[in-house]
Amino acid sequence: MKQFFNNKRMIVLLISVILFISTIAFSISRNRENTSIPQLFVNDMAGFTTNILSKPAETVTKFVDSVDNLLNTYEENQTLKQKIDELDEMQARVYTLEQENMTLKEEIELQSVLSDYERTSATVIARNPDNWLEQIIIDKGSEDGIEVNMSVMSGNGLVGRVSEVSPTTAKVLLMSTANESVNRFSAEIQTADKPVHGIVDGYDNQNGLMIMSEIDPDLEIEAGSKVVTSGLGGVSPSSLLIGTVKEVRMDEYGLFQEVTIEPSGNLKDVRFVTVILRKSEEANE
């Protein structure tokens, strides 16, 4: 009896499989009338195999695409960084040109003020960081009429004096130099009553101010008064602007007055200069 039921189950299972296959075959045969069942079986197996193999291929393709996108992103990033660097360089260049333009405008104004003098313009070509406030080198020399002790101006004021000359270049010692043998300028303060004479012989590096000493203690001096060269020293011509009075005080010995002067020329940023050759009337003579 038990064997009968077992055989019955096998028969039912076999009939079910046959019906299932027949249904599939009938369905396929309706859609693909000219294709045999074995061929359809082979096609299905091929499609199944293709699906299995296509997954790794798709994975590899996606990986390659990802690497390619990464490389493209890297290249674009490098290009953008280069453009940013170029933009920074351009901005720095524009700033430099703007500063030079402002300096040249000051030089043009200075040229109109110095109409009474024979002069020549020059460009600063060297400035040692170790002695920044000591000296500069300009691109004009003896071939251009430059001589030792000629006064040098920049911006709107006096900045120094020529100390050495070669055929094509010259060294200029600035008024801010610590060299006491060359940083002394005979000067006068323009007041309402009469000029007040003294010597510009010092520089306050911390505050960027010049110091004028040996001034009569009884004379009254107001802040804001113009300070110019007096021409009494026999080296610098007269009436070259040095700066304006900032503060008036007694010196450490209490014997003379001394004043601090706001320089009209920018001693810390000298790019272009004007060298005073001589008075125009002297040149005419």
Side-chain angles (χ1 to χ4, degrees):
M1 191 72 177
K2 183 176 181 180
Q3 184 176 3
F4 173 77
F5 282 109
N6 289 336
N7 293 334
K8 185 177 180 180
R9 290 177 180 174
M10 290 294 296
I11 293 170
V12 171
L13 178 61
L14 180 61
I15 293 172
S16 298
V17 170
I18 293 172
L19 290 174
F20 177 75
I21 295 174
S22 299
T23 302
I24 294 175
F26 178 75
S27 176
I28 294 174
S29 62
R30 291 184 62 186
N31 296 326
R32 293 172 289 181
E33 296 177 353
N34 298 327
T35 305
S36 64
I37 293 178
Q39 181 64 39
L40 291 174
F41 178 77
V42 172
N43 291 342
D44 291 339
M45 291 300 297
F48 178 74
T49 304
T50 302
N51 289 334
I52 295 177
L53 296 178
S54 65
K55 296 299 181 181
E58 290 178 2
T59 302
V60 172
T61 301
K62 290 180 179 179
F63 175 75
V64 171
D65 290 339
S66 299
V67 172
D68 186 56
N69 292 334
L70 182 62
L71 291 176
N72 291 335
T73 302
Y74 175 77
E75 292 177 357
E76 291 176 359
N77 185 46
Q78 292 297 108
T79 302
L80 289 173
K81 288 178 65 177
Q82 182 178 355
K83 290 183 178 179
I84 291 173
D85 292 340
E86 291 175 354
L87 180 60
D88 291 339
E89 293 176 1
M90 185 178 297
Q91 289 177 338
R93 181 59 179 163
V94 168
Y95 176 81
T96 301
L97 291 174
E98 288 177 347
Q99 295 300 311
E100 289 181 355
N101 187 44
M102 292 175 59
T103 305
L104 287 172
K105 286 182 178 180
E106 292 178 349
E107 288 300 311
I108 292 173
E109 294 176 1
L110 180 63
Q111 297 295 326
S112 63
V113 172
L114 298 175
S115 58
D116 292 338
Y117 296 92
E118 191 74 17
R119 60 200 180 277
T120 185
S121 298
T123 302
V124 176
I125 58 174
R127 191 170 189 179
N128 193 331
D130 295 332
N131 53 5
W132 191 258
L133 293 176
E134 294 288 325
Q135 66 183 33
I136 56 176
I137 306 297
I138 60 176
D139 63 349
K140 295 290 180 67
S142 58
E143 293 180 352
D144 305 287
I146 306 297
E147 298 176 1
V148 173
N149 287 331
M150 284 184 170
S151 298
V152 179
M153 304 190 72
S154 179
N156 295 320
L158 187 67
V159 294
R161 182 184 293 145
V162 176
S163 61
E164 295 180 19
V165 179
S166 70
T168 58
T169 62
K171 179 188 294 184
V172 177
L173 284 178
L174 301 174
M175 296 183 72
S176 53
T177 179
N179 189 337
E180 297 181 356
S181 62
V182 295
N183 69 352
R184 299 171 65 87
F185 290 79
S186 177
E188 65 182 33
I189 303 171
Q190 297 176 336
T191 65
D193 296 331
K194 62 178 182 179
V196 176
H197 294 277
I199 303 295
V200 177
D201 57 358
Y203 182 75
D204 182 353
N205 187 28
Q206 183 176 358
N207 298 308
L209 301 173
M210 292 188 224
I211 299 172
M212 182 176 176
S213 60
E214 300 183 20
I215 301 171
D216 189 331
D218 298 325
L219 297 176
E220 186 174 342
I221 303 170
E222 295 182 358
S225 300
K226 298 292 184 183
V227 182
V228 299
T229 56
S230 66
L232 299 178
V235 178
S236 299
S238 61
S239 303
L240 299 179
L241 182 62
I242 297 175
T244 57
V245 174
K246 183 176 180 62
E247 182 185 4
V248 182
R249 64 197 180 196
M250 295 299 294
D251 64 16
E252 58 182 338
Y253 304 107
L255 300 176
F256 295 97
Q257 291 187 97
E258 67 177 21
V259 300
T260 56
I261 303 170
E262 187 79 42
S264 294
N266 190 351
L267 295 167
K268 294 182 179 179
D269 185 19
V270 184
R271 304 189 185 195
F272 306 98
V273 300
T274 297
V275 182
I276 308 302
L277 302 179
R278 62 183 68 84
K279 277 277 194 176
S280 58
E281 57 265 26
E282 293 176 2
N284 293 332
E285 291 176 3

